[in-house]
Amino acid sequence: MFRYARPAFRSLTRQISTKQSTGLFGIAAHPDPLPALQQTYKQTLNMLGSIPSNSVYRQSVEASIAHKLGVIESAKGDVVAVENQLDEGQIEQVLMAAEDELNLVGKMIEWKPWEPLAEKPPVGQWEYFKE
């Protein structure tokens, strides 16, 4: 009997413990943020495959996302633990930043900043504050 009641109890407690508001203007509480965050990170990693592996941008984003995915997996569904370990604000803010990074990866693929410059820069352009 209890075996069948356990999933119903879990869904009931999940509904009760679901955050109703972030308390931040314009940011709604996400009903199930951790799977959405994992999916966004995995999409970002897939898109990063289009960028050369020696690109510093790709290397830094991959390392950052690998760390964050590790935090999410080690938290085992505990949103508060993820928020505390990442220390990037509420989980909805972390999700927004992940979506922004995903969009930026698309722009970086379009811009191709790893390629050589189309025109040579003027002499002295990259020299600052020489004495």
Side-chain angles (χ1 to χ4, degrees):
M1 177 176 127
F2 291 113
R3 188 172 17 176
Y4 300 109
R6 199 173 295 157
F9 179 73
R10 283 187 186 148
S11 71
L12 177 65
T13 56
R14 183 175 292 149
Q15 289 173 357
I16 291 171
S17 66
T18 300
K19 176 167 47 171
Q20 299 298 317
S21 172
T22 61
L24 301 172
F25 181 78
I27 302 177
H30 196 285
D32 200 13
L34 293 182
L37 187 58
Q38 281 183 315
Q39 180 65 25
T40 303
Y41 284 149
K42 289 177 183 177
Q43 288 175 341
T44 303
L45 288 174
N46 286 338
M47 284 185 70
L48 283 170
S50 301
I51 296 176
S53 60
N54 62 348
S55 167
V56 175
Y57 173 72
R58 175 180 172 171
Q59 293 170 0
S60 64
V61 173
E62 281 179 337
S64 174
I65 289 176
H67 167 72
K68 291 175 184 182
L69 281 172
V71 168
I72 292 169
E73 290 168 8
S74 69
K76 297 180 180 148
D78 185 1
V79 173
V80 176
V82 172
E83 289 176 343
N84 290 337
Q85 288 182 357
L86 291 180
D87 195 26
E88 295 180 4
Q90 294 186 33
I91 198 70
E92 289 82 4
Q93 292 172 300
V94 176
L95 183 56
M96 289 172 63
E99 291 167 351
D100 288 344
E101 190 68 52
L102 177 61
N103 292 332
L104 180 60
V105 170
K107 290 291 186 183
M108 294 295 262
I109 291 169
E110 177 186 333
W111 296 331
K112 300 178 184 179
W114 53 85
E115 292 184 352
L117 295 175
E119 298 176 9
K120 293 239 180 213
V123 176
Q125 179 175 344
W126 304 113
E127 297 174 14
Y128 299 103
F129 307 110
K130 276 195 164 185
E131 291 182 36

